[in-house]
Amino acid sequence: MNKIEAIIRPERVDKVKDALAAGGFAGLNVVNVVGRGTQKGVVYQGRAGEKYTVDMLPKTKLELVVADADTDKAVDIIIAAARTDNIGDGKIFISPVTQVVRVRTGDRGDGAL
Amino acid sequence: MNKIEAIIRPERVDKVKDALAAGGFAGLNVVNVVGRGTQKGVVYQGRAGEKYTVDMLPKTKLELVVADADTDKAVDIIIAAARTDNIGDGKIFISPVTQVVRVRTGDRGDGAL
Amino acid sequence: MNKIEAIIRPERVDKVKDALAAGGFAGLNVVNVVGRGTQKGVVYQGRAGEKYTVDMLPKTKLELVVADADTDKAVDIIIAAARTDNIGDGKIFISPVTQVVRVRTGDRGDGAL
Amino acid sequence: MPEISGGDTAWVLVSAALVLLMTPALGFFYGGMVRHKNVVSLILQTFIIVGVISVSWVLWGYSLAFGPDKWGIIGGLDWVGLRGVGMEAGPYSDTIPHQAFMIFQAMFAIITPALIVGAFAERIKFKTLLIFTVLWSTFVYSPIAHWVWGVGGWLGNYGALDFAGGTVVHISSGVAALAAILVMRKRLGFGRDAMEPHNVPFIVLGAALLWFGWFGFNAGSSLAADGLAANAFVVTNTAAAMGALTWMTMTWCLGGRPSAVGAASGAVAGLVAITPAAGFVGPVSAILIGLGAGAFCYLACRLRAKLKLDDSLDVWGVHGVGGTWGAIATGLFATAAIGGTDGLFYGNTSQLWTQLAAVGVTWAFSFTMTIIILKVLDWTVGLTVNEEEENRGLDLSQHGEAGYRL
Amino acid sequence: MPEISGGDTAWVLVSAALVLLMTPALGFFYGGMVRHKNVVSLILQTFIIVGVISVSWVLWGYSLAFGPDKWGIIGGLDWVGLRGVGMEAGPYSDTIPHQAFMIFQAMFAIITPALIVGAFAERIKFKTLLIFTVLWSTFVYSPIAHWVWGVGGWLGNYGALDFAGGTVVHISSGVAALAAILVMRKRLGFGRDAMEPHNVPFIVLGAALLWFGWFGFNAGSSLAADGLAANAFVVTNTAAAMGALTWMTMTWCLGGRPSAVGAASGAVAGLVAITPAAGFVGPVSAILIGLGAGAFCYLACRLRAKLKLDDSLDVWGVHGVGGTWGAIATGLFATAAIGGTDGLFYGNTSQLWTQLAAVGVTWAFSFTMTIIILKVLDWTVGLTVNEEEENRGLDLSQHGEAGYRL
Amino acid sequence: MPEISGGDTAWVLVSAALVLLMTPALGFFYGGMVRHKNVVSLILQTFIIVGVISVSWVLWGYSLAFGPDKWGIIGGLDWVGLRGVGMEAGPYSDTIPHQAFMIFQAMFAIITPALIVGAFAERIKFKTLLIFTVLWSTFVYSPIAHWVWGVGGWLGNYGALDFAGGTVVHISSGVAALAAILVMRKRLGFGRDAMEPHNVPFIVLGAALLWFGWFGFNAGSSLAADGLAANAFVVTNTAAAMGALTWMTMTWCLGGRPSAVGAASGAVAGLVAITPAAGFVGPVSAILIGLGAGAFCYLACRLRAKLKLDDSLDVWGVHGVGGTWGAIATGLFATAAIGGTDGLFYGNTSQLWTQLAAVGVTWAFSFTMTIIILKVLDWTVGLTVNEEEENRGLDLSQHGEAGYRL
Ligand SMILES: Nc1ncnc2c1ncn2[C@@H]1O[C@H](COP(=O)(O)OP(=O)(O)O)[C@@H](O)[C@H]1O
Ligand SMILES: Nc1ncnc2c1ncn2[C@@H]1O[C@H](COP(=O)(O)OP(=O)(O)O)[C@@H](O)[C@H]1O
Ligand SMILES: Nc1ncnc2c1ncn2[C@@H]1O[C@H](COP(=O)(O)OP(=O)(O)O)[C@@H](O)[C@H]1O
């Protein structure tokens, strides 16, 4: 199994979530983060007109664990729904998960997903 | 080493935390998330009596890194303390961790846990 | 690639972030957590003078994904900037990442970092 | 000639201050109800309406509403820029400075358009809102205020009773809300997403300050610190209480749990309904008026939801329906022992017809005019923000400010 | 016959409005102190008590407390539904409408049971709270108010001084809190988990609005806009200030750091203690009363914690102890130059005994009656929520509403 | 001898209550503007200043400011501990109790040092702040208040007009802020990190309550419920409104988006500027004064930022510059028809020079004295917290309290 961590624009969360559900990926977690990427930061005007470069911008991180075979499909769904073609669209990271357990039943393995 | 990520009911966090401590697992992190699982969502009545299905419910995620040999023990403790036998009890994910460093000393490896 | 998760003191986040940027590590995410470690907890006085031991303390988690070759460099930068030599300085965990995707372009691999 | 009375002047000035506070209070009542990404927008919209109308009222609004009458339908321009509105008594009271009356009325002129913003919350363009406020206040509020309260106004002459603004303030704004949502698109995701309040304490804070300020609104409308003011104060409190109890009980029985938002909304509904009646009815009637307000307004909001109308914060359900019920209830419960006029239950049938006529006229006028104003704005500056802006939230997209950084 | 005075009426109406605001303010003071999962419950509990008592006071509470005396212990039912309580002056003041007095007193009747909710915060069943409020107000508050303030009430006749409610409001509620926590189970995790305030700004907001409203409470109790009102105003402010400074200093010396919650609590303690004394003592005495209040109440809260009593928000420590100290201090610091009666330090020993007797009677009566009422509720509807509900928080489990969605 | 007037007394007591509320309101205005880790510190600092000055004013502050004059520059110690300040009328008004005047003035003495805390927010040591407050109030505020308002005070005798505290309150505190930031180090990360407001609703809540309270501040300064009070009320509201509109428009034009913080700041700027003028100018002048306030103060804040001065919350830009503009504007727009004195635009050139002189004196005195006091504190207790404490935030490091636990 793989864990997909997708860091996307907050305003695209609903769209991505719905697209994933439509693609059969119900399970996921969402958490708000602040992130910095290769984008140089947004120039921002303070209360008194002074200029700041804010490099840490609010992003939303989606985490979902999927079976190996489904990984590419899920990633493609996320990209399709999250992409605006502008800098700051975000990143997706994939890492291995060795075991999954359903708390309610104690079941393990792919079936517990 | 393994990372255990347990997504559980917020009202069970204290119980799980205490049980882990009793089992010798002091170190852990807690973060609030909202999550969606196979449960179909909760039907909810809005201010004006209209019905909504809210599919993203507040959950709490526990993260702890443990030695390989302790993994099953920790998982069992979590299940025992978090389980209510109702839908929405949550999931546990296990993934490999290759290195751990203690910031204060720079120590690495199992001993730094 | 590796994912570095560094759990550090909140008051050191800015210093660590700046040091990482100076070292060429732009991309990262920050999220607030509460954590418990081997430190025994802080004794705290309640409103009416009663004593509590609070074992869960606020920490900040930095997440960054880096190429394999850069991992040690990044870890060293973090340690140098986060260390106060007191209990509670935090931990760093390293785990494998198998793939990274840039949402804006769909690019994969190290180049997408 | 009676002199300026210190007691009356103190009371009216305090009342004006209390009513001023109601508009920012409304900002919290509304701001707590929207999603967190729009809290700044609601709070700013109400706050800046205080700014806009405070100035326009001094410049022309007061003159149009209360200035020397023209044909029963509008005040003249004689008092533009407050020329002749001075520190001595004016035509509306012998015992308080004319300026005190003017500023007390200013606060009513301020809160009325502010009430409407709840209808198109979370999607209106800020610039459009500002223009709408000026136009609506000038072409809807000032005329209605003149008809009902201005010396020579035709509805007042006709005998319509409106102690503190059931028609002038609540029906006018509540019906404008209804008109607005018929002209304007719904919020994205309306009917599908849960759009629950993001800050319940703010809602109750707003409601509590509204309740507090409403004593100025209603009891201040006596324009004197006398027995009538005391009566208005008592019935105001009683109806608010009963409205809160009723609405909360409705959410308990029909929704399963007693809701804080329901209690707060019910208090406001009770306050709305007692507004026209405050100088005409006694405390036991106030209990019934509050009961009716809680029940009717709650049901109106459910109806609105059923009809899939996106009156974001139920302005029509609370102010339109509550104001209408209050105006009718005045025709039912008024007693000559308190305000000099009897209602239906005290044997005077005709007053009820007068009240219904005033209600009908106000509905029709406010509805029509609001549609016209918004249509014009739709063709010119546009009404709502675009999809991207709405998704990000108005706070960031319109004002560049996040509500909270916690 | 003296006429209604505009100045006095304005002052008493404003004061009533100020005291009304105190109860929602209390909701914020309390709501900020609990954990975030119970903020709605505290804010709603206090808010809805405004609703409940506003209505019951009009229907029967006022008559029982202030109506024509029966045997010195209770008012008759003559004024039920406010029959005969009109726009003219009544027996309690010649210069203000009877209704103004009635509604001013209503606000006291409202806040008193609201104070008690702090004791069983975070665990009471909502339905139980509502029933308790009605019973307690009817069988505890109205009698005590009659004894002390009603025409013919025996404690007033006996010579007990209580300018604005040290016994009637604060001892009665503070002792009821003590009784309640002896009958009711503790919160889950009490004594083990940190249950620190979730929103310190709300606590200070509540305290600030309480302070503001307390000017109406104390200075309004003069029932006239006169020198006595000014004196009450001054000593109220002074004692509040000194209470805040003292409690904060205690947290600094004994706890290591000056605490904002401590400053806010100390201000409230000072306000409580000056309440019975406000019309009898001067400003320098007020400094000492505030000093005592800050110190005694802080120590009482520490004692409470030591004894492992779960008075969640220290109602007994602040209102019970503060009210008791204030009642005694009135017997010490009263001076005939201000309120017509001397206390111990001005040579009149007997007043102190009178005060102590009144304190004792109030403690005993409130304690016993509260135990009885709660025992009955325990056997019938039950007192507290179950474990699962408490863990989720009362907001979601009792009201289906989350305080914040940020 | 005229008697105490109920109307005037009611009005002044209400005004005192309103002004009391302004200081905690300021706590929210400031507290919302800082980062979340310092919200408790700002709210506590303003709250405890209410405590500190309430007591010191009773003990010696009032006597120094308003007591029997010594050489035109200070009040004597005759009224220490309020000896002789009683329930009858005093030298400052024939129609209200002397204590009412005293406590009304106390509220001004309280808010003035509280205004200054915005300058060194997020870095001052709490203990230092307390000592500074006592010293500054005694050696800066009391003298200036005496000069301008005390019987026999030299600036008042000289003819300087200051209706409600443009020089006494706003210039004195705004210039002290400027002095303070020249003596004190900047916040860590100033000029590099974004230090944006953490809670915009709190800012607007604070501004709204300030606006509300300011009616007491300005209209209460008439010391009577009369036409002059009504005029002051009207121009206060008008200038606040215009200030809000102007500043918000400036942020729109120069910053790209209409800002809620800007609207709130502009309202405060307008209120500051109208303060000295409120009893001397009419509503149309108030519009111009508010316009000037919004524009000048906004530009002053930009200048401050350009100069890299770390006046954390722009106390100088708003109160120093706004107060100066108001004092000058009084010399321009005053009309004898309202306050008995004409300004430049009504043909009286000399008044402008008098105003400028008063402004200059106040700037020089406050600036010098503040520098001296802070230098002494720097050498003794130290001014700012250390780096580690500042990074953690003052809430935890100074007070051991987290603002929010959500
Ligand atoms: N190396 C990284 N490790 C972890 N998170 C990253 C990394 N690089 C970027 N991110 C996250 O992805 C977000 C978008 O990155 P950015 O580089 O701006 O996107 P883009 O691909 O459009 O250039 C950042 O805000 C940050 O949260
Ligand atoms: N595939 C997944 N990836 C990540 N998180 C998941 C996944 N499936 C479930 N979760 C998390 O676990 C929680 C509980 O899941 P759910 O399916 O409701 O539990 P149950 O096992 O009782 O059916 C969800 O709210 C979500 O936070
Ligand atoms: N085994 C673990 N798994 C996950 N997080 C941990 C673990 N141990 C410690 N942490 C995190 O690291 C933080 C610091 O740990 P601690 O043991 O106090 O540091 P130190 O190395 O100074 O003793 C904790 O608050 C917790 O957030």
Side-chain angles (χ1 to χ4, degrees):
Chain A
M1 283 157 294
N2 285 314
K3 175 152 94 161
I4 301 175
E5 290 177 276
I7 295 141
I8 60 172
R9 299 180 182 278
E11 57 265 41
R12 285 297 173 105
V13 172
D14 284 337
K15 210 167 156 190
V16 174
K17 247 175 47 192
D18 293 350
L20 282 168
F25 298 98
L28 54 75
N29 285 311
V30 174
V31 54
N32 293 321
V33 302
V34 286
R36 178 172 76 181
T38 46
Q39 66 183 125
K40 274 280 152 294
V42 169
V43 176
Y44 185 88
Q45 209 175 54
R47 267 192 307 125
E50 67 280 34
K51 299 261 191 310
Y52 293 110
T53 307
V54 178
D55 57 356
M56 301 295 290
L57 298 172
K59 297 278 169 187
T60 300
K61 183 164 83 161
L62 265 58
E63 294 180 331
L64 60 164
V65 175
V66 299
D68 290 341
D70 291 334
T71 309
D72 283 346
K73 186 181 163 199
V75 168
D76 290 343
I77 289 175
I78 295 171
I79 293 179
R83 188 166 176 170
T84 70
D85 292 330
N86 292 306
I87 278 205
D89 273 0
K91 295 263 156 79
I92 301 174
F93 302 113
I94 296 157
S95 51
V97 166
T98 49
Q99 184 61 285
V100 51
V101 189
R102 175 179 290 137
V103 173
R104 175 162 48 91
T105 57
D107 290 351
R108 298 177 189 224
D110 274 31
L113 269 184
Chain B
M1 281 157 297
N2 285 313
K3 174 152 94 160
I4 302 175
E5 291 177 275
I7 295 139
I8 61 172
R9 300 179 182 279
E11 57 265 41
R12 285 297 173 104
V13 172
D14 285 337
K15 212 168 153 190
V16 173
K17 247 175 47 192
D18 293 350
L20 283 168
F25 298 98
L28 54 76
N29 285 311
V30 174
V31 55
N32 293 320
V33 302
V34 285
R36 178 172 75 181
T38 47
Q39 65 181 128
K40 274 279 152 296
V42 169
V43 176
Y44 185 88
Q45 206 173 59
R47 267 191 308 124
E50 67 280 34
K51 300 261 190 310
Y52 293 110
T53 307
V54 177
D55 58 355
M56 301 295 291
L57 298 172
K59 299 276 169 188
T60 301
K61 184 163 84 162
L62 266 59
E63 293 180 332
L64 60 165
V65 175
V66 298
D68 290 341
D70 292 332
T71 309
D72 284 344
K73 186 180 163 200
V75 168
D76 291 342
I77 290 174
I78 294 172
I79 293 180
R83 187 166 175 169
T84 70
D85 291 330
N86 292 308
I87 278 207
D89 273 358
K91 296 261 157 81
I92 301 174
F93 302 113
I94 296 158
S95 50
V97 165
T98 48
Q99 184 62 286
V100 50
V101 189
R102 174 178 290 135
V103 174
R104 175 165 46 93
T105 56
D107 291 352
R108 300 182 187 220
D110 273 31
L113 269 185
Chain C
M1 285 156 292
N2 285 313
K3 174 152 95 161
I4 302 175
E5 291 177 276
I7 295 140
I8 60 171
R9 298 179 184 279
E11 57 265 41
R12 285 298 174 102
V13 172
D14 284 338
K15 211 168 155 189
V16 174
K17 248 175 47 193
D18 292 351
L20 282 168
F25 299 98
L28 53 76
N29 285 312
V30 174
V31 53
N32 294 320
V33 301
V34 286
R36 178 172 76 180
T38 47
Q39 65 182 127
K40 273 279 151 299
V42 169
V43 176
Y44 185 87
Q45 209 175 56
R47 266 193 308 126
E50 68 280 33
K51 299 261 191 311
Y52 294 109
T53 308
V54 177
D55 58 356
M56 303 294 292
L57 298 173
K59 298 277 168 186
T60 300
K61 184 163 84 162
L62 264 61
E63 294 180 331
L64 60 165
V65 175
V66 299
D68 289 339
D70 292 332
T71 310
D72 284 344
K73 185 179 163 202
V75 169
D76 290 342
I77 290 175
I78 295 172
I79 293 180
R83 188 164 175 170
T84 70
D85 291 330
N86 293 306
I87 278 204
D89 272 0
K91 297 261 154 81
I92 302 174
F93 302 112
I94 297 158
S95 51
V97 165
T98 48
Q99 183 63 284
V100 51
V101 189
R102 175 178 291 136
V103 173
R104 176 164 47 93
T105 57
D107 289 352
R108 302 185 185 218
D110 274 31
L113 269 185
Chain D
M1 198 188 90
E3 274 186 61
I4 296 293
S5 147
D8 293 350
T9 303
W11 177 238
V12 173
L13 290 182
V14 172
S15 293
L18 288 170
V19 185
L20 178 278
L21 188 61
M22 290 173 70
T23 303
L26 188 71
F28 279 79
F29 185 66
Y30 282 173
M33 268 192 226
V34 295
R35 287 162 294 173
H36 75 105
K37 62 185 176 181
N38 293 316
V39 61
V40 171
S41 87
L42 266 289
I43 286 179
L44 175 58
Q45 285 169 14
T46 48
F47 188 80
I48 206 64
I49 286 177
V50 184
V52 170
I53 304 294
S54 288
V55 174
S56 72
W57 188 253
V58 160
L59 290 180
W60 68 83
Y62 180 65
S63 190
L64 287 182
F66 291 94
D69 178 65
K70 301 277 182 246
W71 327 285
I73 60 165
I74 196 75
L77 294 175
D78 315 51
W79 296 350
V80 155
L82 300 189
R83 251 177 311 157
V85 179
M87 305 198 288
E88 306 77 40
Y92 290 92
S93 159
D94 291 335
T95 61
I96 64 169
H98 193 176
Q99 281 203 343
F101 177 76
M102 183 285 296
I103 196 72
F104 181 62
Q105 285 300 335
M107 302 312 175
F108 287 66
I110 288 167
I111 198 171
T112 309
L115 291 168
I116 308 173
V117 307
F120 33 60
E122 309 200 283
R123 60 195 186 283
I124 188 108
K125 253 189 204 168
F126 187 67
K127 195 206 288 180
T128 306
L129 177 79
L130 293 182
I131 306 174
F132 173 74
T133 298
V134 173
L135 296 178
W136 194 89
S137 182
T138 305
F139 296 113
V140 186
Y141 184 81
S142 279
I144 299 183
H146 186 77
W147 301 350
V148 179
W149 290 333
V151 169
W154 74 271
L155 268 176
N157 282 351
Y158 175 65
L161 298 182
D162 186 358
F163 192 68
T167 46
V168 179
V169 174
H170 296 291
I171 296 183
S172 72
S173 59
V175 170
L178 182 64
I181 56 172
L182 296 176
V183 174
M184 213 171 280
R185 72 163 172 79
K186 293 175 181 141
R187 285 171 292 175
L188 303 170
F190 173 74
R192 191 199 59 184
D193 301 347
M195 295 175 168
E196 290 310 297
H198 90 283
N199 198 324
V200 174
F202 277 1
I203 297 175
V204 181
L205 177 66
L209 291 176
L210 282 168
W211 190 325
F212 175 61
W214 225 295
F215 291 128
F217 204 92
N218 286 359
S221 288
S222 172
L223 299 181
D226 56 7
L228 190 61
N231 183 82
F233 194 112
V234 169
V235 297
T236 299
N237 190 66
T238 307
M242 201 62 204
L245 289 172
T246 307
W247 192 313
M248 189 188 76
T249 306
M250 304 283 287
T251 63
W252 207 340
C253 298
L254 300 179
R257 293 213 182 83
S259 147
V261 179
S265 304
V268 173
L271 289 161
V272 167
I274 200 68
T275 294
F280 302 109
V281 306
V284 175
S285 303
I287 292 181
L288 298 173
I289 292 175
L291 182 79
F296 298 149
C297 295
Y298 175 72
L299 294 172
C301 294
R302 287 190 80 125
L303 177 68
R304 190 270 309 150
K306 268 250 161 64
L307 297 176
K308 305 234 168 288
L309 296 173
D310 189 13
D311 182 355
S312 315
L313 308 176
D314 279 315
V315 180
W316 172 78
V318 173
H319 297 276
V321 173
T324 301
W325 159 240
I328 294 172
T330 306
L332 298 174
F333 295 104
T335 164
I338 290 168
T341 310
D342 277 325
L344 183 71
F345 297 157
Y346 292 82
N348 176 11
T349 326
S350 74
Q351 189 60 40
L352 184 60
W353 298 118
T354 312
Q355 296 300 105
L356 286 170
V359 166
V361 165
T362 312
W363 270 72
F365 182 73
S366 176
F367 190 87
T368 316
M369 292 296 290
T370 305
I371 297 268
I372 294 173
I373 293 172
L374 285 175
K375 279 287 175 201
V376 170
L377 291 175
D378 193 10
W379 296 324
T380 50
V381 286
L383 297 177
T384 51
V385 301
N386 67 35
E387 191 165 330
E388 196 76 1
E389 292 171 319
E390 186 173 335
N391 275 335
R392 283 192 77 193
L394 303 192
D395 293 1
L396 287 170
S397 71
Q398 300 286 294
H399 308 294
E401 292 172 315
Y404 315 96
R405 294 174 206 264
L406 299 177
Chain E
M1 199 187 88
E3 274 186 61
I4 296 294
S5 147
D8 293 351
T9 303
W11 177 238
V12 173
L13 289 182
V14 172
S15 293
L18 288 170
V19 185
L20 180 277
L21 188 61
M22 290 173 70
T23 303
L26 188 71
F28 279 79
F29 185 66
Y30 282 173
M33 270 193 222
V34 296
R35 288 162 293 173
H36 74 105
K37 62 185 175 180
N38 294 315
V39 60
V40 171
S41 88
L42 266 289
I43 286 179
L44 175 58
Q45 285 169 15
T46 48
F47 188 79
I48 206 65
I49 287 177
V50 184
V52 170
I53 305 295
S54 288
V55 173
S56 72
W57 188 252
V58 160
L59 290 180
W60 68 83
Y62 179 65
S63 191
L64 287 181
F66 290 94
D69 178 64
K70 302 278 181 242
W71 328 287
I73 60 166
I74 195 77
L77 296 175
D78 314 51
W79 296 350
V80 155
L82 299 189
R83 250 177 313 157
V85 179
M87 306 198 289
E88 307 76 40
Y92 291 92
S93 159
D94 290 336
T95 61
I96 63 169
H98 193 177
Q99 281 203 343
F101 177 76
M102 183 284 298
I103 197 71
F104 180 61
Q105 285 300 334
M107 303 311 176
F108 287 65
I110 288 166
I111 198 171
T112 310
L115 290 169
I116 308 174
V117 308
F120 34 60
E122 308 199 285
R123 60 195 185 284
I124 188 111
K125 253 188 205 170
F126 187 67
K127 194 207 288 179
T128 306
L129 177 79
L130 293 182
I131 306 175
F132 173 75
T133 299
V134 174
L135 296 177
W136 194 90
S137 182
T138 306
F139 296 113
V140 186
Y141 183 81
S142 280
I144 298 181
H146 186 76
W147 301 350
V148 178
W149 290 333
V151 169
W154 74 272
L155 269 176
N157 282 350
Y158 175 64
L161 299 182
D162 186 357
F163 193 68
T167 46
V168 178
V169 173
H170 297 291
I171 297 183
S172 74
S173 60
V175 170
L178 182 64
I181 56 173
L182 296 177
V183 174
M184 213 171 278
R185 71 164 173 77
K186 293 176 179 140
R187 285 172 292 175
L188 304 170
F190 173 74
R192 192 199 58 184
D193 300 346
M195 295 174 167
E196 289 311 297
H198 89 283
N199 198 323
V200 175
F202 277 0
I203 298 175
V204 181
L205 177 65
L209 290 176
L210 282 168
W211 190 326
F212 175 61
W214 225 294
F215 291 128
F217 204 92
N218 285 359
S221 287
S222 171
L223 299 181
D226 55 8
L228 190 61
N231 183 81
F233 194 112
V234 169
V235 297
T236 298
N237 190 65
T238 308
M242 200 63 203
L245 289 172
T246 308
W247 191 314
M248 188 189 76
T249 307
M250 303 284 286
T251 63
W252 207 340
C253 299
L254 299 179
R257 293 211 182 83
S259 147
V261 179
S265 303
V268 174
L271 290 161
V272 167
I274 200 66
T275 294
F280 303 108
V281 306
V284 175
S285 303
I287 293 181
L288 299 173
I289 291 175
L291 181 79
F296 298 149
C297 295
Y298 175 71
L299 294 172
C301 295
R302 287 190 81 124
L303 176 69
R304 193 269 310 151
K306 267 251 161 64
L307 297 176
K308 305 235 168 288
L309 296 173
D310 188 12
D311 183 356
S312 315
L313 309 175
D314 279 315
V315 180
W316 173 77
V318 173
H319 297 275
V321 173
T324 301
W325 160 240
I328 294 171
T330 307
L332 299 174
F333 295 104
T335 165
I338 288 168
T341 310
D342 277 326
L344 184 71
F345 296 158
Y346 293 82
N348 175 11
T349 327
S350 73
Q351 189 60 42
L352 184 60
W353 299 116
T354 311
Q355 295 302 103
L356 286 170
V359 166
V361 165
T362 312
W363 270 71
F365 182 72
S366 177
F367 191 87
T368 316
M369 292 296 291
T370 305
I371 297 268
I372 294 172
I373 294 172
L374 285 175
K375 278 289 174 197
V376 170
L377 291 175
D378 194 9
W379 296 323
T380 50
V381 286
L383 297 178
T384 50
V385 301
N386 66 36
E387 191 165 328
E388 198 75 0
E389 292 171 320
E390 186 172 336
N391 274 335
R392 282 192 79 193
L394 303 192
D395 292 2
L396 286 171
S397 70
Q398 300 287 294
H399 308 294
E401 293 174 314
Y404 314 96
R405 294 173 206 265
L406 299 176
Chain F
M1 200 186 86
E3 274 186 62
I4 295 294
S5 146
D8 293 352
T9 303
W11 177 237
V12 173
L13 290 181
V14 172
S15 294
L18 288 170
V19 185
L20 178 279
L21 189 61
M22 289 172 70
T23 303
L26 187 72
F28 279 78
F29 185 67
Y30 282 174
M33 268 192 225
V34 296
R35 288 162 294 174
H36 75 104
K37 62 185 176 181
N38 294 315
V39 61
V40 171
S41 89
L42 265 290
I43 286 179
L44 175 58
Q45 285 169 14
T46 48
F47 188 78
I48 206 65
I49 286 178
V50 184
V52 169
I53 305 294
S54 288
V55 173
S56 72
W57 188 251
V58 161
L59 290 180
W60 68 83
Y62 180 65
S63 191
L64 288 182
F66 290 95
D69 179 65
K70 303 278 180 242
W71 327 287
I73 61 166
I74 195 75
L77 294 175
D78 315 51
W79 296 349
V80 156
L82 300 189
R83 251 177 312 157
V85 179
M87 306 198 287
E88 306 76 40
Y92 290 93
S93 159
D94 290 336
T95 62
I96 64 169
H98 193 175
Q99 282 203 344
F101 177 76
M102 184 285 296
I103 197 71
F104 181 61
Q105 285 299 333
M107 302 311 175
F108 287 65
I110 288 167
I111 199 170
T112 310
L115 290 168
I116 308 174
V117 309
F120 35 59
E122 308 199 286
R123 60 196 186 283
I124 188 111
K125 254 189 204 169
F126 188 66
K127 194 206 288 181
T128 308
L129 176 78
L130 293 182
I131 305 174
F132 173 76
T133 298
V134 173
L135 295 177
W136 194 88
S137 181
T138 304
F139 296 113
V140 186
Y141 184 81
S142 278
I144 298 182
H146 186 77
W147 301 350
V148 178
W149 290 333
V151 169
W154 76 270
L155 268 175
N157 282 350
Y158 177 65
L161 298 181
D162 186 358
F163 192 68
T167 46
V168 179
V169 173
H170 296 291
I171 296 182
S172 74
S173 59
V175 170
L178 182 64
I181 56 173
L182 297 177
V183 174
M184 213 171 279
R185 71 165 173 76
K186 293 176 179 139
R187 284 172 293 175
L188 304 170
F190 173 74
R192 190 200 58 183
D193 301 345
M195 295 174 168
E196 289 309 297
H198 89 282
N199 198 323
V200 174
F202 277 0
I203 298 175
V204 181
L205 177 66
L209 290 176
L210 281 168
W211 190 326
F212 175 60
W214 225 295
F215 291 127
F217 204 92
N218 285 0
S221 288
S222 171
L223 299 181
D226 57 6
L228 190 62
N231 183 82
F233 194 112
V234 170
V235 296
T236 298
N237 191 65
T238 308
M242 201 61 205
L245 288 172
T246 308
W247 192 313
M248 188 189 76
T249 307
M250 304 282 287
T251 64
W252 207 341
C253 299
L254 300 179
R257 291 212 183 82
S259 148
V261 178
S265 304
V268 173
L271 289 161
V272 166
I274 200 67
T275 294
F280 302 108
V281 305
V284 176
S285 303
I287 292 181
L288 299 173
I289 292 175
L291 182 79
F296 298 149
C297 295
Y298 175 73
L299 294 173
C301 295
R302 287 190 80 125
L303 176 68
R304 192 269 310 151
K306 268 250 161 65
L307 297 176
K308 305 235 167 287
L309 296 173
D310 188 13
D311 182 356
S312 315
L313 309 175
D314 279 315
V315 180
W316 173 77
V318 173
H319 297 276
V321 173
T324 301
W325 160 239
I328 294 171
T330 306
L332 298 175
F333 295 104
T335 165
I338 289 169
T341 311
D342 277 326
L344 183 71
F345 296 158
Y346 293 82
N348 175 12
T349 326
S350 74
Q351 190 59 41
L352 184 61
W353 299 117
T354 311
Q355 295 301 103
L356 286 170
V359 165
V361 165
T362 311
W363 270 72
F365 182 73
S366 176
F367 190 86
T368 317
M369 292 296 289
T370 304
I371 297 267
I372 294 172
I373 294 172
L374 285 175
K375 278 288 173 201
V376 170
L377 290 176
D378 194 9
W379 296 323
T380 50
V381 286
L383 297 178
T384 50
V385 301
N386 66 37
E387 190 165 328
E388 196 75 0
E389 292 171 320
E390 186 172 335
N391 274 335
R392 282 192 78 193
L394 303 192
D395 293 1
L396 287 171
S397 70
Q398 301 285 295
H399 307 293
E401 293 172 314
Y404 314 96
R405 293 173 206 265
L406 298 177

